[in-house]
Amino acid sequence: MSTPVIVLVGPMGVGKSTVGQLLADRLGTGYRDTDEDIVTAEGRSIADIFLEDGEAAFRALEKDAVRAALAGHDGVLALGGGAILDEGTRELLAGHRVVYLSMDVEEAVKRTGLNAARPLLAVNPRKQWRELMEARRHLYEAVATVVVATDGRTPEDVARAALEAVELKDV
């Protein structure tokens, strides 16, 4: 059984995919994203899954994707923004090096424009993003080994800070 060297969690748009790929390159390992796993398996976008099947159906797919990735991937793993909502997933993350990439709402606006392609932010994106973070921040913090703020930092700076935070800085 393999286990990820680093697991990235955080809100949508924080840069988990970009930073995850940089970390994988730096560590000389593979990169995997559970959202991409779901899109590949389902043959449709996450937005389409939300629209056609609903959030509960997506969360069930997400739970299975995270479980499979945690058990079968030995590189850098990025989880979707809501993966930590599931108690079983949070329990599975215990004992892993989990990096919570954090950002404030102003940074989220700059990075994503809080656009309609994000199904949970379709109406009043700023307000919804704040509400999502109020509901999730404590969960991200609960599963995190370390927290790395991304505000005003380049992806390279965030990757470097993440490696230092999990004590892989000599890699």
Side-chain angles (χ1 to χ4, degrees):
M1 184 166 127
S2 49
T3 185
V5 64
I6 294 176
V7 180
L8 299 175
V9 299
M12 60 190 89
V14 76
K16 295 182 298 284
S17 298
T18 302
V19 171
Q21 190 60 61
L22 288 169
L23 288 169
D25 292 347
R26 179 95 181 260
L27 294 168
T29 192
Y31 168 74
R32 185 168 176 179
D33 181 319
T34 57
D35 280 351
E36 289 176 15
D37 290 350
I38 294 166
V39 168
T40 299
E42 292 295 305
R44 55 194 171 138
S45 71
I46 290 171
D48 286 344
I49 296 168
F50 264 79
L51 271 167
E52 295 166 12
D53 302 341
E55 184 175 358
F58 172 76
R59 295 295 175 210
L61 294 170
E62 182 175 54
K63 180 179 177 177
D64 292 342
V66 170
R67 179 178 285 111
L70 286 172
H73 181 68
D74 61 1
V76 176
L77 177 63
L79 305 188
I84 46 79
L85 294 172
D86 179 72
E87 183 179 348
T89 295
R90 293 192 307 274
E91 290 170 4
L92 288 174
L93 289 170
H96 289 278
R97 277 190 196 108
V98 179
V99 177
Y100 164 31
L101 299 180
S102 69
M103 71 178 168
D104 67 21
V105 70
E106 296 313 315
E107 188 76 10
V109 169
K110 279 191 254 180
R111 290 190 190 177
T112 68
L114 297 178
N115 62 37
R118 310 268 184 187
L120 291 179
L121 300 177
V123 179
N124 195 347
R126 272 180 201 258
K127 179 178 183 258
Q128 288 179 298
W129 193 88
R130 278 191 182 103
E131 288 173 358
L132 279 175
M133 284 309 298
E134 286 172 18
R136 296 178 180 182
R137 184 173 287 110
H138 71 285
L139 298 174
Y140 291 132
E141 291 170 349
V143 300
T145 308
V146 296
V147 178
V148 176
T150 64
D151 304 275
R153 292 171 122 171
T154 66
E156 292 79 11
D157 289 341
V158 173
R160 190 175 312 105
L163 288 172
E164 289 174 3
V166 295
E167 300 179 348
L168 291 173
K169 58 184 169 259
D170 297 329
V171 177

